[in-house]
Each structure stands twice: as C-alpha cells, then as structure tokens.
Amino acid sequence: MFRIAVLPGDGIGPEIVPEAVKVLRACSGLFGLDFTFTEAPVGGAAIELTGHPLPEETLALCRGSDAIILGAIGGPRWDHLPLERRPEAAALLPLRKELGLFANLRPVELYEALLDASPLKQEVIAGTDILVVRELTGGLYFGEKRREQIPGGERAIDTLVYTSSEIERIGRLAFEAARSRRKLLHSIDKANVLESSRLWREVMERLQKEYPDIELKHMYVDNAAMQLVNWPKQFDVIVTENMFGDILTDQASVLTGSIGMLASASIGGQVALYEPAHGSAPDIAARNEANPLATILSAGLMLRFSFNHEAAARAIEEAVARVLADGYRTRELMQPGCRELGTAEMGDRVVEALLKLKEGSL
Ligand code: NAD
C-alpha cells in the first residue's frame, strides 16, 4: 500500500489537486495499485486554520508518507505578512529543505495538439523535449536575508550561497539524467559575474570527467533565456541553480502552450513531492477554469519515480494527449474549434480516456 499526502494549498490548489487524486484513484483500479490519501493544510490555508503555514502535523504527515502531491501556495491575502510567516517563504521552502528535496525535475514536453497554442512559431518549437534539473534547496532563496538602516534610507541584503557538495549532487543527478536521454547537458550559470557560478562551472567540469559520454555545454543565463525561445530544440537536459531554474522554467512553459501544462517532481530525500510548476493563480481561483493537467501529469511523475510504475505513468500521459487531441481545452488554452471544459470536467475526461486506453479501445 502506498501512502500519499495530499496538500491542496491555496488559490487554485483545492481545485486542481482533487483532479490529480481522481486520476490516481482511477489508476489504482486499472493497474491494481493500492493508495491511501491523507489531506493536510499548508500555506495560507494552514495559516487560517492553525496560525502557521507549515503546521508540525503537516510536516509529520509528509515525512510518514510514500509521496506527496501539492497544489500551490500563497496569495494576496497573505502578501502583507513578514517573510518568516509568508506561505511561500515559511512553508514551501522549509518543506523542500526539511524533506531534503534538492532536485526539481521539470520536463518540458510538447503535446502535438497544442503545437499551435504557443505564441511561438510551430517550426521553432516542434520537436522540443527538454528536462530542466533545477537545484531546489540552495542559492538566493535560502541564503541569509536582512534589512539595515543606512543614512538616508534602508539596505536590503540577500545572500547567494552554494557549496561544492551541493553543486556536485545536483550535477551528478543531471549527468545521470542526460545519460538516459540524448547525452547532452547544458549547465546554465552567470560565471562572468557571480562567484557562486564560477564554482558551479568548475564543479560541472570536474564531474564531466566522470561522464565522458555526456557532452557538457556552459551557457550564461541571459543567453539561455534568449536561446530557449529562439532555438529550444538545441537543449536536452538543462541543469541550473535555484532562481535561474525558477525563472527559466516559467519561460519554457510558453513552449508547451500554457504554464498549466508543466509538471514537476522534487526528489532527493526519502519522500518525493509532486506539484505543478505554476503558482496558486489567485486571479482565476474558485472559477472552475484552472487547467489541472500539470497537476495530473505530476501525479504521473509520482507513479514513475516514487512507485516505479512506468505503465501507469505512460497511460496518464497518453490519456492527456488523447483528451487534447479530441479538442478539449481549459480556458487559457481555448482556440476556435475546440471545446472548453472546466477544471473538474477536464479531470473527468482524463479518467475516461484512461479507462478507454486500458480497454484497448483507443
Ligand atoms: P502563477 O503561476 O500563480 O500565475 C501566473 C499566471 O498563470 C496567471 O495569469 C495565472 O492565472 C496563470 N496560471 C497559473 N496556473 C494556471 C493553471 N493551472 N491554469 C490556467 N492558468 C494558470 O504565478 P503568480 O501570479 O506570480 O503567483 C501567484 C501566487 O502563487 C503568489 O502568491 C506566488 O508567490 C505563488 N506561487 C506559488 C508557487 C508554489 O506554490 N510552488 C509557485 C509560484 C508562485
């Protein structure tokens, strides 16, 4: 039996996470997998209930589970709080740190039916298949932060810290990932101005000697931002530090047609966490228009990485491809000739497609 912790979080989280659970339940019936689901509050929702965005009980549940599915956290209601109480800084980052989730895998895969949904030209994006490996528990987001009074105003300080062992473990994971793909690794840094990036580059070069079959290319992050939309097909695996990965993957989501399509897996510790790459989208919350597919695809990654069930993971990806090919879209992806679905209906369609796939009738 696999124990899954369910953390819907804020904004659209409580709308999209049940759709992923619905799909996991369907997989349990279809593939003979035994799941238990236990829900817990996190983020702003947890502040409202308990006063803290990451209650001890939620953390304990995560530690005692086999995998975690998370929606997203944060929203304008909690933006006024000091950093140490804000949902993102006081729940999401500590959750990743506490669970040792130092690597965030974000596959940027294009669905045939969405090729014309991206604002980029089809000939530019067709054939793109990238895996972004983002470092998740170091860098600027975790370094010391403070404010100081100075004559005539204030000074704000964020610290960007990386140790060679932090870089080495994410680098090794990325080299291994490249080995199982097209054997090309782009390491993205800003080594022309940042000392942490210079160390990053040195460690990657050292590691490359252990992986002579992998081609390693270095690229500055500003160039990478341009290359990602100019010639995305040149990339296979990208490895980069925390903040660069955060920004570049939002940009990369445009290739897929919508940020609502980008799944992620955070791994490295005892328990892995699966969540869409997007945030809590407060602008569309409670309107039944959020795209649940990134969360559903994250559940697919859970089946692949945590439960080692490749057939079920592939079935989810094929079911999503089928639903899109049939012309069903959530609002942000709507185009002439397509049929608009709400969040829950989209989840239903994926379950239906899964059932048909399994029956072999597709
Ligand atoms: P966002 O990703 O929430 O939204 C950006 C845009 O994408 C919005 O227009 C939104 O409507 C749209 N969008 C996002 N997900 C969508 C989906 N599934 N379907 C359709 N449209 C979707 O980013 P933001 O607006 O910068 O941040 C909103 C809140 O989320 C903030 O509080 C931020 O701190 C938080 N956030 C949380 C996480 C996380 O929990 N992992 C990540 C990023 C941002």
Side-chain angles (χ1 to χ4, degrees):
M1 200 231 307
F2 296 122
R3 295 155 301 171
I4 301 175
V6 179
L7 313 185
D10 305 318
I12 59 172
E15 296 169 74
I16 53 180
V17 167
E19 300 315 307
V21 171
K22 198 188 265 179
V23 169
L24 284 169
R25 283 192 201 282
C27 284
S28 128
L30 290 172
F31 295 92
L33 293 159
D34 194 4
F35 297 133
T36 61
F37 298 95
T38 312
E39 193 172 316
V42 71
I47 295 181
E48 303 303 321
L49 278 172
T50 71
H52 195 278
L54 182 59
E56 213 25 74
E57 297 74 30
T58 299
L59 189 54
L61 171 73
C62 291
R63 283 207 176 101
S65 298
D66 297 306
I68 305 158
I69 185 108
L70 172 74
I73 63 183
R77 189 182 170 120
W78 307 284
D79 280 351
H80 65 282
L81 293 172
L83 262 191
E84 62 275 12
R85 288 192 53 224
R86 265 187 77 132
E88 302 90 327
L92 193 58
L93 301 190
L95 186 60
R96 290 169 177 167
K97 193 82 171 179
E98 288 289 329
L99 298 173
L101 305 173
F102 68 85
N104 185 229
L105 310 183
R106 296 188 168 184
V108 183
E109 286 161 3
L110 270 54
Y111 282 87
E112 187 75 29
L114 293 184
L115 272 185
D116 57 354
S118 171
L120 297 167
K121 291 190 187 107
Q122 284 200 32
E123 61 264 32
V124 172
I125 60 171
T128 298
D129 179 6
I130 305 172
L131 176 68
V132 181
V133 179
R134 169 188 168 197
E135 203 290 328
L136 205 57
T137 52
L140 210 47
Y141 296 0
F142 285 88
E144 189 197 338
K145 310 169 197 324
R146 64 174 193 280
R147 295 264 192 119
E148 293 171 354
Q149 294 301 323
I150 54 168
E154 264 189 291
R155 177 166 33 212
I157 299 165
D158 290 290
T159 328
L160 171 43
V161 184
Y162 268 111
T163 64
S164 50
S165 56
E166 283 174 324
I167 301 169
E168 193 176 317
R169 66 182 180 181
I170 192 77
R172 209 172 277 288
L173 200 141
F175 273 104
E176 293 289 341
R179 190 165 260 174
S180 65
R181 293 170 51 102
R182 301 195 305 277
K183 300 190 170 44
L184 171 62
L185 178 62
H186 277 84
S187 172
I188 311 297
D189 63 35
K190 189 69 185 167
N192 46 348
V193 284
L194 295 178
E195 199 52 44
S196 56
S197 281
R198 291 165 69 86
L199 180 62
W200 183 280
R201 200 173 268 222
E202 283 165 26
V203 173
M204 290 297 160
E205 277 176 2
R206 224 162 40 224
L207 273 179
Q208 207 266 326
K209 297 195 171 60
E210 292 177 37
Y211 296 89
D213 53 324
I214 308 296
E215 185 184 357
L216 172 69
K217 290 187 174 177
H218 301 287
M219 194 179 270
Y220 295 134
V221 63
D222 38 356
N223 183 24
M226 187 264 282
Q227 297 292 341
L228 256 181
V229 287
N230 202 36
W231 182 25
K233 274 179 277 229
Q234 70 184 287
F235 297 106
D236 175 17
V237 178
I238 287 176
V239 63
T240 191
E241 63 98 70
N242 203 342
M243 186 173 71
F244 296 162
D246 191 5
I247 297 170
L248 289 179
T249 48
D250 261 36
Q251 188 183 353
S253 77
V254 175
L255 308 171
T256 70
S258 163
I259 190 140
M261 294 300 301
L262 209 63
S264 93
S266 300
I267 61 171
Q270 295 266 313
V271 188
L273 182 149
Y274 300 85
E275 59 172 323
H278 58 73
S280 60
D283 53 332
I284 56 164
R287 301 220 304 241
N288 193 33
E289 54 181 77
N291 184 348
L293 293 178
T295 320
I296 289 172
L297 291 167
S298 302
L301 296 179
M302 175 190 290
L303 294 169
R304 174 169 293 132
F305 296 132
S306 285
F307 305 145
N308 213 10
H309 207 302
E310 183 60 26
R314 266 180 205 270
I316 291 182
E317 287 155 4
E318 278 174 40
V320 167
R322 172 50 57 149
V323 169
L324 293 170
D326 286 346
Y328 295 111
R329 302 281 187 274
T330 39
R331 176 160 296 182
E332 93 287 7
L333 279 170
M334 262 308 280
Q335 283 179 307
C338 292
R339 168 127 184 253
E340 187 175 327
L341 296 182
T343 309
E345 290 170 283
M346 183 55 99
D348 291 341
R349 293 285 170 187
V350 174
V351 169
E352 268 174 43
L354 264 175
L355 295 175
K356 284 192 193 154
L357 259 176
K358 191 69 178 161
E359 281 165 14
S361 60
L362 276 182

